Amino acid sequence: MFIGRVNGTKLSDEGNYLDLCEARVGAKLRVRGLKGQAAICQRLREMGFCELAEVRKLSDNGALICSVCGSRVALSRSLAKEIIVQPVPSGPAASPA
């Protein structure tokens, strides 16, 4: 079932979508979309938060710290709320064949 769009990307209720602030520390995540002003979305993409990029949330004390594209990046909570993510399942079933 279709529940909405984030920058042209269709999101369905079949996915466990949440913003980066809501994800738990240590979670491996996949970026599913960006919301907000076009300039902010563009800057987030330049920082590595492209759609389908894998991100790991490292810390959530004040500024949010994540690992993306081999770098650690600190984000304000307001910017992190603009990043829609989906948890990546762990285990043998999740590994590519």
Side-chain angles (χ1 to χ4, degrees):
M1 173 187 272
F2 174 71
I3 59 169
R5 288 185 183 269
V6 175
N7 281 354
T9 302
K10 279 185 171 182
L11 299 180
S12 68
D13 62 359
E14 296 168 9
N16 299 327
Y17 299 111
L18 54 154
D19 67 47
L20 192 52
C21 285
E22 297 171 330
R24 66 177 175 77
V25 172
K28 187 174 180 182
L29 309 159
R30 178 160 284 123
V31 176
R32 300 303 294 181
L34 302 172
K35 58 183 185 175
Q37 297 176 3
I40 291 172
C41 293
Q42 181 59 33
R43 182 63 183 132
L44 288 169
R45 286 186 187 97
E46 290 169 356
M47 294 169 66
F49 293 94
C50 302
E51 286 78 354
L52 303 181
E54 286 195 4
V55 177
R56 185 172 301 271
K57 186 172 177 179
L58 302 175
S59 176
D60 197 0
N61 298 328
L64 193 140
I65 300 173
C66 5
S67 174
V68 60
C69 298
S71 298
R72 287 184 178 194
V73 178
L75 297 171
S76 68
R77 295 190 69 76
S78 61
L79 268 182
K81 287 182 181 181
E82 305 296 323
I83 303 170
I84 306 302
V85 295
Q86 180 179 34
V88 174
S90 59
S95 61

